[in-house]
Amino acid sequence: MELNDGNLQTLTEFMRKTLDPDQSVRRPAEKFLESVEGNQNYPILLLTLLEKSQDNVIRVCAAVTFKNYIKRNWRIIEDEPNKISDPDRTTIKANIVHLMLSSPEQIQKQLSDAISIIGREDFPMKWPDLLTEMVTRFQSGDFHIINGVLRTAHSLFKRYRHEFKSNELWLEIKLVLDTFASPLTELFKATIELCQTHATDINALKILFSSLTLISKLFYSLNFQDLPEFFEDNMETWMSNFHNLLTLDNKLLQTDDEEEAGLLELLKSQICDNAALYAQKYDEEFQPYLPRFVTAIWNLLVSAGQEVKYDLLVSNAIQFLASVCERPHYKHLFEDQNTLTSICEKVIVPNMEFRSADEEAFEDNSEEYIRRDLEGSDIDTRRRAACDLVRGLCKFFEGPVTAIFSGYVNSMLGEYAKNPVVNWKHKDAAIYLVTSLASKAQTAKHGITQANELVNLTEFFVNHILTDLNSQNVNEFPVLKADAIKYVMIFRSQLPKEQLLQAVPLLVAHLQAESTVEHTYAAHALERLFTMRGPNNSTLITPTEMAPFTEQLLNNLFKALALPGSSENEYIMKAIMRSFSLLQETIVPYIPTLIGQLTHKLLLVSKNPSKPHFNHYLFESLCLSIRITCKANPTTVGSFEEALFPVFTEILQNDVQEFVPYVFQVMSLLLEIHTSSIPNSYMALFPHLLQPVLWERTGNIPPLVRLLQAYLEKGAATIASSAADKIPGLLGVFQKLIASKANDHQGFYLMNSIIEHMPTESIVQYRKQIFILLFQRLQSSKTTKFIKSFMVFINLYGVKYGAIALQEIFDSIQPKMFGMVLEKIVIPEVQKVSGPVEKKICAVGIIKILTECPAMMDTEYTKLWTPLLQALIGLFELPEDDSIPDDEHFIDIEDTASYQTAFSQLAFAGKKEHDPIGAAVSNPKILLAQSLHKLSTACPGRVLSMLSTSLNAEALQYLQGYLLAASNIFCIFGGVGLSP
């Protein structure tokens, strides 16, 4: 694409169309942009547009498009073409910082994100001057520019908070510190001075406090991995100023907004985080500063109001106290009974109260409420922080803290009992307090795994939880009902089974509650209970125990999907999936009705997929319906195809990218169930599955390979007779896959199925070319994964077509090639093969080479006979060699481009491991003994001679064991120390 006005105009028109609410206008425009983004100069045109367009909407749209383009394409993935040309990359890096700093804030944020994406890949090695260019802008004195630099630096450095330690990371951080730490400190001091100079100028203060917050975030990132020498030397500067800022109270910066945190709150929150980091990780160095920070943060907590705008500040301040009270160094600060009482009374209890803002979220923003409360993303909530503080205090003061809170709990429950309608919030706080006190250790899988022995959970359940669950009106006191359900859910591993069974029908009833939070919690609690393990690795709750409630459970779950706000509720869909999995064949009578509802739901969500987890569990539920029903009666597979194929066709025709990999998996499952020949409906689709465009998306590859394997397993003869012209296409797919280090194993899966199932005459003309392609890949890029797959393939080939055919095809490519492969690959590397089926294939293949290939007995290949036998015995007896060369990083772990729909394996569409040899060979060791017997009969004296002269003693001993196991044939080797 040329950099000219015509192309800029075209791009502008299509940008405008992508904003059109009409899908018929929007989708073609999106497709057009997708089709041209591979062209050189495309990103430069976008940058030109966002810099020079007169239309602000188009500028912002170009900025967002550019950022997403960078996100999708900047990373260079091995084996895949470079999606952005080198000249474009150079131009972008040369101009983007200046462009970002000279743009309005809305565009600046998008470009800042783009710089951090590029930086993640290229900084520092391929973009060494980035930091220098940014730091020089500190001298500009323009805080619009300075804040742009700080924002970019923050998005670039914040990954240091979660990166694993490594030499590369240390070197990068050292480079950053050498360039950035000193200018950042100078900027910090200068900005604080400016705050004093402009103490009465609200507009100046807003900009300066934004800068201070960003500087404080950068301080956290740069100090996270270890305490840098520079910051240790300058600790007085930073900590004194942080302390002053914590105690600062400028009236101009206070806001009337009760919801949104102001600049002062955001800055103080970050400083609390910084202090907590030092208290936790660098307590010795931080000790001189700790008492004044504890005092300042305590005063902050006592003075902060209950408004939502203080939530982040309060939770971070409490987290600071929590991190301090857990350290043995600081234990003495909390030992006094009055201190503990004061913390409980003034900090913990007030911050556990259910506020009107929480009630509002519970009713009107249930999704966010659930996300915070159930999924643990409430890291910034007051309740979570207070709960963490309780746990921290209990580490050293469990007895006194439990005693203090027991009084509060009893008092709150007493208040509730006096007037439940008015005082229900007291009971809510009491339940939360008990939960905090009792929880010592928790996992998502098991709930609370370790509880405070001073809290009687069972007694509390019977006296205070069961009453709410038993209430006939499921819509009364929804918050308390949700609390009661959550109590069952998180203490499920602590409560006795009879109480859990008592709770099940009550939870089923609560699926009908109008409150989204309440019926979501009920679904989630049931799903968690159904995954609990009982004795003998079975489920704790059995299908028999569920029998009285099965119909009501299924009805209520599907009805819950129709409740307002829950049409795509992932917890309900997961509970449906788990119920199907638990109940198994007892759901068969209900499937004809339920499959209709699931299919209808699939049709609706395919129009606009927005909830990935919901969609995943929906497909899992479909797979379970198919598996369970067809296990009882395989002929019902046709009725599932009848119900699902119209929806699947629509999904494939509309190219719903999120759903295509799922559709292929379900189709594989259906096709694998068929017992007779492949149906015509599948054969009609076959040519479309070979289209290159489908194979461009990484997420499609595993399910497509599996689907093609199912085609080959069920319809190889049909493909050979009625679709022979498609075999080159099939081999083209194989060629594409084995060229990729990430997907070569998928190519081998496909080729192994072709070898196993396709009629010999249909592929005989292609065999040599297949081997040539494999050798080309071996020469260009030999990885451990490829070698393992290659060995399985050649041995499967030998099993299918015979050892002579294998030797001949190698030697037809190049004389003596067969010997080279045995010597350089099979003998030294066979130990690396893993997996029982793969090992069995290799063992049987090698046995055939040893005993059915004449060239091994009377040519120059004979010298390889004993080493090959030795390697085979090693495969049987030695531990697997799982070493990987140092220079080989984990290419078999896919690093897919982020924009592509990643492949999500459906657990319940899982395929049983297929053994192509099957029952024909149950024990390869016995086969080896029998085959050697046969060979020694055909070549008298030869086998004995080779064994006695070359095989080592340990291998001989193992071989004797195989011969003994094969019982009646050991006597022929009497002369080599293999006594009867």
Side-chain angles (χ1 to χ4, degrees):
M1 293 176 84
E2 294 296 315
L3 279 171
N4 57 40
D5 292 343
N7 280 334
L8 283 172
Q9 188 55 42
T10 305
L11 212 49
T12 304
E13 285 165 17
F14 278 102
M15 286 273 171
R16 193 166 279 115
K17 286 178 182 174
T18 62
L19 304 171
D20 199 299
D22 183 348
Q23 196 171 326
S24 63
V25 176
R26 189 177 71 250
R27 284 300 286 271
E30 289 168 349
K31 289 279 183 195
F32 170 79
L33 292 179
E34 208 176 292
S35 72
V36 297
E37 71 172 26
N39 295 347
Q40 190 169 340
N41 289 329
Y42 172 75
I44 314 305
L45 282 164
L46 286 176
L47 289 177
T48 310
L49 207 54
L50 70 85
E51 183 184 16
K52 295 185 174 167
S53 174
Q54 299 303 306
D55 185 335
N56 204 41
V57 174
I58 293 298
R59 291 184 71 193
V60 173
C61 183
V64 173
T65 306
F66 177 81
K67 180 193 77 177
N68 291 335
Y69 166 82
I70 293 295
K71 196 175 181 180
R72 286 197 299 271
N73 299 310
W74 193 272
R75 174 174 289 181
I76 297 172
I77 299 171
E78 199 166 7
D79 302 324
E80 290 190 16
N82 184 348
K83 293 172 184 164
I84 302 177
S85 70
D86 289 336
D88 281 357
R89 287 174 185 270
T90 307
T91 307
I92 289 167
K93 286 191 286 193
N95 293 291
I96 191 167
V97 174
H98 169 73
L99 200 52
M100 181 267 291
L101 296 173
S102 58
S103 297
E105 193 168 332
Q106 225 179 343
I107 292 170
Q108 192 179 78
K109 283 180 177 173
Q110 299 299 329
L111 292 180
S112 172
D113 284 350
I115 291 170
S116 69
I117 294 162
I118 297 169
R120 212 170 297 141
E121 300 300 320
D122 288 14
F123 177 78
M125 300 306 288
K126 295 183 192 170
W127 202 359
D129 54 350
L130 170 63
L131 268 194
T132 325
E133 190 180 352
M134 283 164 60
V135 166
T136 54
R137 306 301 175 117
F138 284 164
Q139 312 304 321
S140 68
D142 180 343
F143 272 85
H144 172 72
I145 289 174
I146 289 169
N147 281 356
V149 171
L150 292 171
R151 201 175 290 117
T152 305
H154 170 53
S155 58
L156 205 54
F157 304 154
K158 67 182 175 188
R159 68 184 178 85
Y160 300 157
R161 303 176 182 193
H162 48 77
E163 288 269 319
F164 288 117
K165 293 183 174 176
S166 67
N167 284 338
E168 291 80 8
L169 184 67
W170 288 130
L171 288 169
E172 183 180 324
I173 292 175
K174 185 181 182 310
L175 175 77
V176 169
L177 289 165
D178 290 347
T179 315
F180 208 80
S182 179
L184 186 71
T185 307
E186 294 308 313
L187 179 66
F188 181 48
K189 292 192 291 191
T191 309
I192 285 170
E193 282 176 24
L194 285 169
C195 287
Q196 290 159 357
T197 309
H198 298 282
T200 55
D201 182 347
I202 180 63
N203 292 324
L205 285 176
K206 281 181 179 176
I207 294 167
L208 293 167
F209 269 77
S210 296
S211 304
L212 286 172
T213 305
L214 285 165
I215 291 168
S216 301
K217 286 176 187 289
L218 285 164
F219 176 91
Y220 188 90
S221 298
L222 294 175
N223 283 270
F224 191 88
Q225 288 281 343
D226 204 349
L227 179 57
E229 190 181 336
F230 178 88
F231 284 106
E232 190 176 350
D233 294 344
N234 289 274
M235 199 181 292
E236 175 61 34
T237 300
W238 284 91
M239 291 305 157
S240 301
N241 282 311
F242 279 159
H243 179 261
N244 293 340
L245 289 168
L246 270 183
T247 53
L248 178 78
D249 189 18
N250 190 316
K251 297 282 184 279
L252 289 175
L253 287 166
Q254 290 175 358
T255 58
D256 296 330
D257 190 335
E258 292 190 0
E259 300 283 323
E260 200 72 37
L263 288 166
L264 206 53
E265 289 80 45
L266 290 172
L267 175 60
K268 289 182 179 184
S269 302
Q270 186 57 51
I271 292 172
C272 288
D273 256 359
N274 295 352
L277 176 75
Y278 266 57
Q280 276 175 326
K281 297 184 81 165
Y282 318 122
D283 48 0
E284 201 177 309
E285 294 84 353
F286 187 58
Q287 224 158 356
Y289 303 95
L290 182 86
R292 68 178 103 155
F293 272 90
V294 169
T295 307
I297 287 172
W298 173 262
N299 291 334
L300 263 182
L301 280 170
V302 175
S303 60
Q306 285 287 320
E307 294 87 351
V308 174
K309 69 175 175 180
Y310 297 118
D311 283 5
L312 181 64
L313 173 58
V314 168
S315 71
N316 281 1
I318 296 175
Q319 289 291 1
F320 167 78
L321 288 183
S323 63
V324 170
C325 74
E326 281 184 340
R327 314 290 293 176
H329 278 82
Y330 310 133
K331 183 181 165 187
H332 64 278
L333 294 172
F334 302 90
E335 275 173 336
D336 186 66
Q337 181 76 18
N338 293 331
T339 305
L340 286 174
T341 307
S342 187
I343 290 173
C344 294
E345 185 184 319
K346 292 181 177 167
V347 176
I348 292 169
V349 172
N351 286 300
M352 281 196 177
E353 286 172 7
F354 196 77
R355 300 166 303 165
S356 52
D358 299 318
E359 194 175 353
E360 213 173 281
F362 184 94
E363 290 169 2
D364 302 330
N365 193 0
S366 52
E367 207 168 309
E368 178 60 19
Y369 182 92
I370 291 162
R371 193 179 66 80
R372 286 201 328 237
D373 189 47
L374 210 53
E375 297 173 15
S377 66
D378 58 346
I379 200 81
D380 295 333
T381 65
R382 294 173 182 241
R383 280 190 149 189
R384 168 53 66 95
C387 182
D388 288 347
L389 182 53
V390 172
R391 282 187 199 161
L393 290 169
C394 282
K395 187 171 178 181
F396 295 119
F397 314 106
E398 189 171 64
V401 169
T402 305
I404 294 166
F405 280 134
S406 297
Y408 279 108
V409 169
N410 291 331
S411 157
M412 288 167 176
L413 291 170
E415 287 299 310
Y416 167 74
K418 286 179 195 170
N419 189 344
V421 175
V422 174
N423 297 335
W424 62 266
K425 286 183 183 178
H426 288 278
K427 183 170 183 179
D428 167 81
I431 294 172
Y432 205 89
L433 207 42
V434 168
T435 305
S436 308
L437 264 181
S439 314
K440 273 187 165 181
Q442 184 170 4
T443 67
K445 193 172 182 183
H446 302 291
I448 301 298
T449 53
Q450 195 185 348
N452 179 341
E453 289 168 11
L454 304 173
V455 181
N456 190 329
L457 293 169
T458 307
E459 188 182 293
F460 192 83
F461 173 79
V462 172
N463 295 338
H464 303 290
I465 299 296
L466 214 47
T467 48
D468 286 325
L469 290 178
N470 268 321
S471 161
Q472 291 303 302
N473 183 355
V474 293
N475 294 316
E476 186 184 32
F477 302 131
V479 175
L480 292 183
K481 298 278 198 305
D483 289 341
I485 295 166
K486 189 179 173 190
Y487 185 94
V488 173
M489 183 171 57
I490 64 172
F491 291 116
R492 60 188 180 276
S493 296
Q494 309 294 322
L495 295 169
K497 181 178 174 177
E498 56 271 21
Q499 291 188 341
L500 297 178
L501 285 173
Q502 201 179 351
V504 165
L506 305 175
L507 294 172
V508 171
H510 281 82
L511 289 167
Q512 293 183 293
E514 290 166 8
S515 158
T516 304
V517 176
E518 190 182 335
H519 64 243
T520 300
Y521 280 23
H524 188 48
L526 285 164
E527 190 272 329
R528 294 286 81 196
L529 292 181
F530 292 166
T531 56
M532 292 179 74
R533 290 191 190 280
N536 309 323
N537 218 21
S538 58
T539 53
L540 180 70
I541 295 171
T542 65
T544 312
E545 287 163 337
M546 284 303 299
F549 324 117
T550 296
E551 189 163 339
Q552 193 193 356
L553 169 70
L554 295 172
N555 276 338
N556 287 5
L557 281 169
F558 277 87
K559 279 183 188 169
L561 285 175
L563 290 166
S566 279
S567 63
E568 292 182 40
N569 186 317
E570 67 186 66
Y571 293 97
I572 297 171
M573 191 48 78
K574 192 176 186 184
I576 290 172
M577 173 196 81
R578 200 70 69 192
S579 302
F580 283 9
S581 178
L582 173 74
L583 298 167
Q584 289 294 321
E585 63 273 7
T586 54
I587 67 164
V588 171
Y590 306 100
I591 288 294
T593 312
L594 300 180
I595 197 71
Q597 295 184 52
L598 289 170
T599 310
H600 179 64
K601 181 61 76 178
L602 176 59
L603 188 61
L604 292 176
V605 297
S606 69
K607 306 287 183 208
N608 183 22
S610 55
K611 297 282 180 71
H613 289 109
F614 176 86
N615 300 334
H616 187 88
Y617 301 135
L618 171 56
F619 277 102
E620 292 281 21
S621 302
L622 285 168
C623 291
L624 276 162
S625 311
I626 295 164
R627 266 188 187 284
I628 294 164
T629 312
C630 294
K631 186 180 174 186
N633 180 4
T635 58
T636 54
V637 68
S639 55
F640 282 106
E641 289 166 346
E642 221 171 278
L644 290 167
F645 274 22
V647 191
F648 285 178
T649 304
E650 196 164 319
I651 289 168
L652 294 173
Q653 282 175 348
N654 293 330
D655 191 23
V656 183
Q657 290 188 22
E658 297 88 338
F659 283 5
V660 169
Y662 287 128
V663 167
F664 291 148
Q665 288 179 79
V666 181
M667 287 182 70
S668 301
L669 178 63
L670 290 164
L671 184 50
E672 285 156 7
I673 291 166
H674 278 277
T675 48
S676 56
S677 61
I678 193 163
N680 290 334
S681 52
Y682 287 90
M683 282 312 296
L685 182 66
F686 182 66
H688 302 285
L689 301 178
L690 304 175
Q691 288 176 350
V693 67
L694 275 179
W695 296 88
E696 292 303 321
R697 291 186 206 141
T698 4
N700 285 348
I701 289 172
L704 261 178
V705 167
R706 178 180 166 191
L707 183 53
L708 289 180
Q709 285 182 289
Y711 270 88
L712 290 161
E713 186 191 332
K714 300 293 176 183
T718 312
I719 293 169
S721 59
S722 63
D725 58 328
K726 298 293 176 280
I727 294 173
L730 199 56
L731 296 171
V733 168
F734 159 75
Q735 184 174 356
K736 176 182 169 58
L737 294 174
I738 59 136
S740 154
K741 287 183 188 173
N743 297 312
D744 49 16
H745 60 295
Q746 296 287 348
F748 278 111
Y749 293 158
L750 184 59
M751 183 47 65
N752 291 347
S753 290
I754 291 172
I755 294 296
E756 186 187 350
H757 299 294
M758 285 298 281
T760 309
E761 64 282 0
S762 65
I763 58 162
V764 70
Q765 60 183 312
Y766 306 110
R767 281 196 219 164
K768 190 171 178 179
Q769 187 56 36
I770 290 166
F771 277 86
I772 289 169
L773 286 171
L774 293 174
F775 281 120
Q776 284 170 346
R777 168 62 208 274
L778 264 175
Q779 283 176 320
S780 66
S781 171
K782 187 172 85 168
T783 66
T784 303
K785 178 163 70 92
F786 185 86
I787 292 283
K788 285 157 75 169
S789 300
F790 177 72
M791 275 194 285
V792 173
F793 165 72
I794 61 174
N795 282 298
L796 180 65
Y797 188 96
V799 171
K800 177 75 192 275
Y801 299 120
I804 297 172
L806 182 66
Q807 177 246 318
E808 285 175 348
I809 198 160
F810 276 134
D811 287 346
S812 71
I813 294 168
Q814 186 184 316
K816 301 179 186 174
M817 174 73 87
F818 182 59
M820 282 190 275
V821 171
L822 291 181
E823 189 177 359
K824 305 285 187 207
I825 297 175
V826 178
I827 293 168
E829 305 280 8
V830 74
Q831 205 62 46
K832 286 190 164 76
V833 174
S834 54
V837 172
E838 289 82 353
K839 285 186 168 186
K840 183 178 176 181
I841 292 168
C842 288
V844 176
I846 291 171
I847 291 166
K848 283 186 171 291
I849 294 170
L850 286 166
T851 62
E852 295 178 16
C853 179
M856 290 298 288
M857 296 306 290
D858 47 23
T859 67
E860 62 205 87
Y861 296 153
T862 310
K863 65 177 189 287
L864 299 171
W865 192 91
T866 314
L868 185 59
L869 177 61
Q870 182 98 29
L872 175 60
I873 294 169
L875 179 66
F876 287 147
E877 305 300 344
L878 297 176
E880 180 192 321
D881 173 9
D882 55 4
S883 63
I884 289 177
D886 292 340
D887 61 342
E888 195 176 304
H889 34 240
F890 303 104
I891 44 210
D892 49 334
I893 297 171
E894 282 193 60
D895 205 349
T896 54
S898 55
Y899 79 101
Q900 293 200 339
T901 309
F903 167 61
S904 296
Q905 172 72 56
L906 290 168
F908 295 110
K911 182 182 177 186
K912 276 189 182 167
E913 190 166 30
H914 170 64
D915 178 357
I917 295 169
V921 177
S922 56
N923 184 343
K925 294 177 185 179
I926 301 292
L927 176 70
L928 174 61
Q930 292 167 340
S931 302
L932 285 174
H933 170 52
K934 209 168 165 184
L935 180 65
S936 70
T937 311
C939 309
R942 291 289 304 283
V943 177
L944 180 60
S945 159
M946 287 192 288
L947 288 175
S948 56
T949 54
S950 313
L951 201 64
N952 74 29
E954 196 180 359
L956 264 175
Q957 205 174 343
Y958 282 125
L959 187 56
Q960 183 179 25
Y962 312 155
L963 297 166
L964 285 168
S967 67
N968 63 343
I969 58 171
F970 63 82
C971 54
I972 61 160
F973 296 115
V976 291
L978 302 178
S979 57

